[in-house]
């Protein structure tokens, strides 16, 4: 299996790049944010539970998020691998993912960190809020709360994966195709090292 993690603050372009990488390597794109939004739209019990966190720009509790992610992976029995987008977001989630994948005789090949300056993130998210009607993207204060949440809880994952020798940093500013090209170079190199 080829499993990749896309890491970066909200607005870094994780979703865009995750879709492109999933298509390039024939992997499943798994976005926890998209799945939560789907549950909210369908008004499932999970959707009702997560709404209050998402509306405040806060992370959904680890236990809820990890259970949903594991179920989504388990459902796709024929997958060649996954591009995880927006997961993990805490060290506890990263540890749970490592354990879960180890139980399936696989693991993370690479974690790709997209770097984008804060001012650009805010501008990108406000634009997306207008285009896609995402309420958590429409309010600048909420956006700044999510960036702060990223800095305190998610940014430490860079160190977590760097210690495993799996982290690659890429500039997330510029042409979408060029950024994908850089990510693909990192992944191809990792694939050739792993035979
Ligand atoms: P995203 O679409 O990835 O920006 O996620 C939107 C929102 O969904 C986040 O602000 C969180 O409230 C929630 N969320 C998505 N993924 C996670 C995760 N891995 N852990 C906790 N909350 C998450």
């Amino acid at each position: 299996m080829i499993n990749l993690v896309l890491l970066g603050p909200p607005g870094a372009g994780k979703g865009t790049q995750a879709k492109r990488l999933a298509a390039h390597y024939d992997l499943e794109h798994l976005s926890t944010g998209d799945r939560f939004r789907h549950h909210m739209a369908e008004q499932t019990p999970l959707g009702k539970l997560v709404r209050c966190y998402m509306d405040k720009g806060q992370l959904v509790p680890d236990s809820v998020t990890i259970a949903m992610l594991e179920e989504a992976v388990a459902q796709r029995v024929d997958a060649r691998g996954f591009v995880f987008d927006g997961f993990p977001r805490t060290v506890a989630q990263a540890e749970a993912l490592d354990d879960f994948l180890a139980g399936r005789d696989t693991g993370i090949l690479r974690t790709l960190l997209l770097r984008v300056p804060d001012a650009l993130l805010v501008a990108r998210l406000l634009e997306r809020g207008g285009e896609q009607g995402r309420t958590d993207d429409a309010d600048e204060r909420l956006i700044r709360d999510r960036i702060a949440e990223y800095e305190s809880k998610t940014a430490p994952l860079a160190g977590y994966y760097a210690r495993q020798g799996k982290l690659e940093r890429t500039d997330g500013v510029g042409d979408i195709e060029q950024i994908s090209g850089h990510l693909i170079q990192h992944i191809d190199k990792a694939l050739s090292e792993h035979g």
Side-chain angles (χ1 to χ4, degrees):
M1 268 185 137
I2 303 173
N3 297 303
L4 306 168
V5 170
L6 261 282
L7 192 63
K14 297 186 298 293
T16 302
Q17 295 299 334
K19 282 192 195 88
R20 295 174 68 92
L21 294 178
H24 185 86
Y25 293 103
D26 188 20
L27 307 174
E28 296 280 339
H29 171 212
L30 218 167
S31 155
T32 40
D34 283 352
R35 294 190 75 85
F36 284 142
R37 278 184 289 280
H38 177 75
H39 278 279
M40 276 166 44
E42 298 287 314
Q43 299 193 352
T44 66
L46 177 61
K48 287 177 190 159
L49 173 72
V50 302
R51 179 178 291 281
C52 61
Y53 297 100
M54 292 182 71
D55 281 351
K56 286 191 226 139
Q58 293 171 355
L59 293 185
V60 173
D62 284 336
S63 57
V64 175
T65 308
I66 291 166
M68 183 191 71
L69 188 281
E70 292 187 354
E71 193 194 321
V73 170
Q75 272 170 1
R76 296 175 202 186
V77 276
D78 296 330
R80 288 187 68 223
F82 292 86
V83 184
F84 296 105
D85 160 15
F87 184 95
R89 263 174 153 106
T90 63
V91 171
Q93 291 180 15
E95 288 170 349
L97 182 61
D98 277 346
D99 287 350
F100 181 67
L101 294 177
R104 301 176 155 249
D105 288 329
T106 184
I108 300 294
L109 176 68
R110 281 294 178 273
T111 291
L112 306 147
L113 172 64
L114 291 171
R115 296 202 292 189
V116 175
D118 280 5
L120 186 56
L121 295 175
V122 175
R124 281 185 183 179
L125 290 170
L126 286 172
E127 197 183 322
R128 185 168 79 182
E131 283 167 3
Q132 300 179 2
R134 265 184 66 171
T135 47
D136 60 344
D137 284 345
D139 172 346
E140 181 162 347
R141 198 181 44 84
L142 212 57
I143 290 173
R144 293 203 181 272
D145 288 349
R146 282 159 61 209
I147 295 173
E149 188 92 325
Y150 171 82
E151 288 302 333
S152 68
K153 295 187 179 149
T154 310
L157 290 182
Y160 178 89
Y161 287 112
R163 282 189 289 280
Q164 295 186 1
K166 292 182 176 173
L167 186 77
E168 295 291 354
R169 295 181 170 84
T170 303
D171 187 357
V173 183
D175 181 67
I176 289 176
E177 252 178 65
Q178 214 170 16
I179 297 169
S180 305
H182 291 148
L183 297 175
I184 287 169
Q185 272 176 13
H186 287 311
I187 298 163
D188 284 349
K189 185 164 168 279
L191 285 171
S192 67
E193 286 167 9
H194 285 253

